Amino acid sequence: MDLSFTAEDSAFRDEVRQFLATSIPDSLRDKLDQGAPLLKSDYVGWQKILYDKGWIAPGWPKEAGGCGWNATQQYIFNLELGLSGAPRPIPFGLNMVGPVIYSFGNEAQKAQHLPGILKSDVWWAQGYSEPGAGSDLASLRMAAVRDGDHYILNGTKLWTTMAHWADWIFCLVRTSNEAKPQDGISFLLVDITTPGISIDPVITIDGEHHVNQVTFEDVRVPVENRIGKEGAGWTCAKFLLANERQAITDLGAKKRMLQRLRALATEINANGKPLLQDPDFSRKLTDLDIQVSGLEYTELRFLDAQLRGEERGFEPSILKVRGTELQQALSELYVEALGYFALPYPTNRGDHGSNMPESGPQGAANGVAHFLYSRAATIYGGTNEIQKNIMAKLLLRA
């Protein structure tokens, strides 16, 4: 396996670094440095900058309006995006439903939906999990009953991230109970303003409004909004989840967190000397550094396989498991390094005109909030226990 980049790849990496170093607006950079929650307008503004550059859809083919980049270019861009600290584009349109539409949708669906996704003019939510159907997604019960040219939807979707920001929601629905569970599922695109849809916030442990419960009561959705054939939704679902799980790796953000931890450990004193000189903390930081390097080389090994034309199999599950475990471990060591400085939650001081100084190092006030919310990382995108079952089935033939 050759892990070296070509001269063209290195030049592309330098171009990406230069762009990211000069294109993040100062107001957005201030929020990122403070660890303050971002608004929808923050994401829209940044994503439109990427769109104007022509870099909003690295994994999309050119004919669908994307960059048409090869696997190496996509890897470099995603790595540098995480290292820069720039917001990662909201994935539900760009990384999830967009690829489903251009891979499985008809021409009318592509023309209707892809331009709005690329321009960040239309925002999407993911209607997968339900009360009692999360890890075992095939047991979902939200009914879609055919009524002429429409389906009538009744049921509930839960943990629906950013549904309160969304214009549309893509849903897995049950159109049949007669075959095995996976064969009775269809994939529908639903205008979230359709009568009968209600959205209730679910406030998470970090005090933020990330997720929602979305209830459907006699919601009429045109049959033409179905992607693919009736009962073929499970194929779309697996395709989408593989993209989601690989994206969760976010190697660049983990390497940036390691850099942040090293800087903090030289700033913060423990027993009269820099924390970095504490043997126990230094051992923990070194161990995480080694584990992140292991994740990096695992991802590069899979990249090499992609470039050789091998089909993607269990690899997204491996990257999802290790990526989320390391995300949690890094957030835990971050809180340990900050101590009581990590306890206050961010207050968006700049938004309210406060001139109160930060307590502790810059951005410390998001430490515990980030740590607590990262407990969900091993659950969303398919729980890690389920990923281990997938790996056992595909790798060990168990």
Side-chain angles (χ1 to χ4, degrees):
M1 180 177 68
D2 184 4
L3 298 180
S4 59
F5 290 122
T6 65
E8 291 79 7
D9 293 332
S10 297
F12 175 72
R13 180 197 59 203
D14 293 342
E15 182 186 1
V16 172
R17 284 181 180 173
Q18 176 64 20
F19 170 78
L20 293 172
T22 57
S23 299
I24 301 174
D26 290 342
S27 58
L28 178 58
R29 173 58 71 188
D30 287 344
K31 278 192 169 185
L32 294 167
D33 289 343
Q34 293 170 12
L38 300 185
L39 304 174
K40 180 180 179 180
S41 57
D42 295 319
Y43 285 105
V44 170
W46 171 237
Q47 290 180 200
K48 284 186 176 294
I49 290 171
L50 291 175
Y51 175 78
D52 290 341
K53 178 66 174 176
W55 288 0
I56 190 60
W60 290 30
K62 284 188 176 180
E63 57 268 25
C67 300
W69 287 344
N70 62 36
T72 303
Q73 290 172 307
Q74 293 175 51
Y75 172 84
I76 290 171
F77 179 77
N78 287 325
L79 177 64
E80 295 300 329
L81 190 68
L83 284 168
S84 74
R88 184 167 291 278
I90 297 295
F92 306 108
L94 289 164
N95 295 345
M96 296 184 184
V97 76
V100 168
I101 292 171
Y102 70 64
S103 298
F104 301 100
N106 58 42
E107 294 305 314
Q109 291 166 338
K110 295 175 189 178
Q112 179 182 0
H113 296 294
L114 296 184
I117 293 172
L118 290 168
K119 295 176 184 177
S120 298
D121 290 337
V122 179
W123 280 57
W124 288 78
Q126 178 184 27
Y128 272 28
S129 295
E130 299 180 6
S135 299
D136 181 17
L137 187 58
S139 66
L140 67 89
R141 294 177 294 175
M142 192 167 92
V145 178
R146 185 74 177 260
D147 180 29
D149 293 334
H150 288 77
Y151 289 107
I152 301 177
L153 273 55
N154 281 282
T156 301
K157 295 295 181 181
L158 191 57
W159 315 119
T160 313
T161 305
M162 303 308 180
H164 55 297
W165 288 358
D167 304 293
W168 284 70
I169 181 171
F170 56 93
C171 290
L172 292 180
V173 298
R174 183 154 301 284
T175 47
S176 173
N177 289 298
E178 296 178 2
K180 68 177 185 178
Q182 290 87 343
D183 292 341
I185 294 172
S186 298
F187 194 103
L188 288 185
L189 312 179
V190 183
D191 184 336
I192 212 161
T193 64
T194 306
I197 298 177
S198 58
I199 301 172
D200 297 301
V202 178
I203 305 304
T204 48
I205 195 169
D206 61 346
E208 294 296 324
H209 179 193
H210 304 284
V211 298
N212 305 270
Q213 176 173 288
V214 184
T215 305
F216 298 74
E217 296 183 3
D218 294 329
V219 176
R220 295 183 66 85
V221 178
V223 171
E224 65 187 23
N225 287 15
R226 187 187 69 223
I227 299 291
K229 296 180 180 179
E230 186 169 286
W234 195 249
T235 299
C236 298
K238 290 190 296 182
F239 173 85
L240 183 152
L241 285 170
N243 287 340
E244 179 183 5
R245 288 163 186 162
Q246 189 159 355
I248 288 172
T249 307
D250 206 358
L251 177 65
K254 291 170 177 60
K255 297 182 80 165
R256 182 179 174 83
M257 176 63 90
L258 279 172
Q259 295 170 358
R260 173 69 172 147
L261 278 166
R262 287 194 192 93
L264 279 174
T266 60
E267 226 181 295
I268 297 173
N269 283 336
N271 299 319
K273 57 185 179 182
L275 182 59
L276 194 59
Q277 295 180 23
D278 178 81
D280 187 54
F281 182 87
S282 180
R283 176 189 58 79
K284 292 176 181 177
L285 184 59
T286 301
D287 179 61
L288 283 176
D289 198 348
I290 293 169
Q291 291 189 56
V292 170
S293 293
L295 179 67
E296 179 177 15
Y297 281 98
T298 299
E299 191 167 18
L300 285 170
R301 190 169 70 250
F302 295 154
L303 172 62
D304 181 68
Q306 274 185 282
L307 294 173
R308 286 187 278 106
E310 295 183 12
E311 290 293 322
R312 185 171 57 183
F314 57 85
E315 294 88 353
S317 294
I318 291 178
L319 294 173
K320 196 275 176 180
V321 170
R322 290 304 295 136
T324 53
E325 288 173 347
L326 281 171
Q327 179 182 340
Q328 292 177 344
L330 285 163
S331 68
E332 184 174 350
L333 192 60
Y334 186 64
V335 169
E336 181 179 330
L338 288 168
Y340 56 80
F341 289 130
L343 292 174
Y345 279 24
T347 57
N348 289 330
R349 295 184 319 281
D351 293 346
H352 302 290
S354 171
N355 60 1
M356 291 292 291
E358 289 197 57
S359 59
Q362 187 180 49
N366 202 25
V368 165
H370 176 72
F371 164 77
L372 291 173
Y373 187 66
S374 70
R375 302 305 97 188
T378 51
I379 299 172
Y380 59 62
T383 63
N384 284 11
E385 290 78 8
I386 295 296
Q387 302 316 305
K388 291 174 183 178
N389 286 343
I390 292 171
M391 287 187 280
K393 181 179 179 180
L394 296 179
L395 184 60
L396 304 176
R397 307 298 179 189

